[in-house]
Amino acid sequence: MQITIIAVGRIKEEYLKKGIAEYGKRLRSYCKLKIIEVKDEPFRDNYSQAQLELVRLKEAQAIQKLIPPRAFIVALDVLGQQKSSEEMAMLITNLGVEGKSHVVFIIGGSLGLHPSILGGAHLRLSFSALTFPHQLMRLILAEQLYRWF
């Protein structure tokens, strides 16, 4: 199975890079993991809602170009469905059985994901009602992927 994580922004913290790399190594036995970073668009706190929406749109356009055809798309969204680790393990297993061999997880930037990405996802997944930094979310997702497999 091919797993792709498309994430807005770069990881700067060394401890996060090391954690993600460790889970990447562990996952090699179960899947082919690819992580793609999309440049986060700069913005300021004093931007209007329209300007912030334009920032999310630009990030969405960059993300959209990277989504392979026929992939099962999971958008990480605080307002999405919450599932247990067991439910996600079953989903991943069922996707493989159904011949859906490419799953793409999308992690937005500081402003979240644009509605065009959320609307195109097969699953909007929330890890918690809590808010996590998007860089840390990448490590949490890598750990959960390992757990699901």
Side-chain angles (χ1 to χ4, degrees):
M1 178 167 277
Q2 171 76 42
I3 302 288
T4 301
I5 299 172
I6 301 173
V8 175
R10 295 180 52 100
I11 300 275
K12 297 170 188 85
E13 295 82 359
E14 232 11 80
Y15 72 95
L16 291 174
K17 288 180 184 178
K18 287 179 180 177
I20 293 165
E22 175 61 30
Y23 283 108
K25 274 192 276 184
R26 293 181 187 190
L27 283 164
R28 284 186 195 141
S29 302
Y30 305 103
C31 68
K32 226 175 125 181
L33 177 66
K34 181 177 183 181
I35 300 174
I36 304 171
E37 293 180 336
V38 172
K39 181 183 172 294
D40 51 347
E41 292 293 322
F43 68 92
R44 295 191 180 124
D45 290 338
N46 64 348
Y47 271 21
S48 69
Q49 278 304 110
Q51 289 171 310
L52 293 174
E53 195 62 20
L54 184 59
V55 168
R56 288 195 309 163
L57 177 62
K58 287 180 182 178
E59 291 174 349
Q61 290 168 338
I63 291 167
Q64 204 67 47
K65 292 176 187 173
L66 299 169
I67 299 173
R70 296 181 303 284
F72 186 88
I73 303 165
V74 180
L76 273 57
D77 177 22
V78 71
L79 300 176
Q81 297 177 45
Q82 290 189 9
K83 294 189 175 287
S84 69
S85 293
E86 293 82 8
E87 289 172 315
M88 285 303 297
M90 186 60 68
L91 174 69
I92 296 291
T93 299
N94 289 342
L95 288 172
V97 169
E98 294 168 7
K100 295 177 181 153
S101 60
H102 198 159
V103 182
V104 176
F105 291 87
I106 304 173
I107 302 173
S110 299
L111 299 175
L113 291 169
H114 188 267
S116 64
I117 298 294
L118 295 173
H122 297 98
L123 172 64
R124 289 170 61 175
L125 180 64
S126 172
F127 275 62
S128 170
L130 300 172
T131 302
F132 298 105
H134 55 279
Q135 296 93 345
L136 179 58
M137 197 62 233
R138 213 176 307 178
L139 175 59
I140 294 169
L141 176 58
E143 187 278 334
Q144 283 298 299
L145 282 166
Y146 178 67
R147 185 176 302 273
W148 300 338
F149 279 102

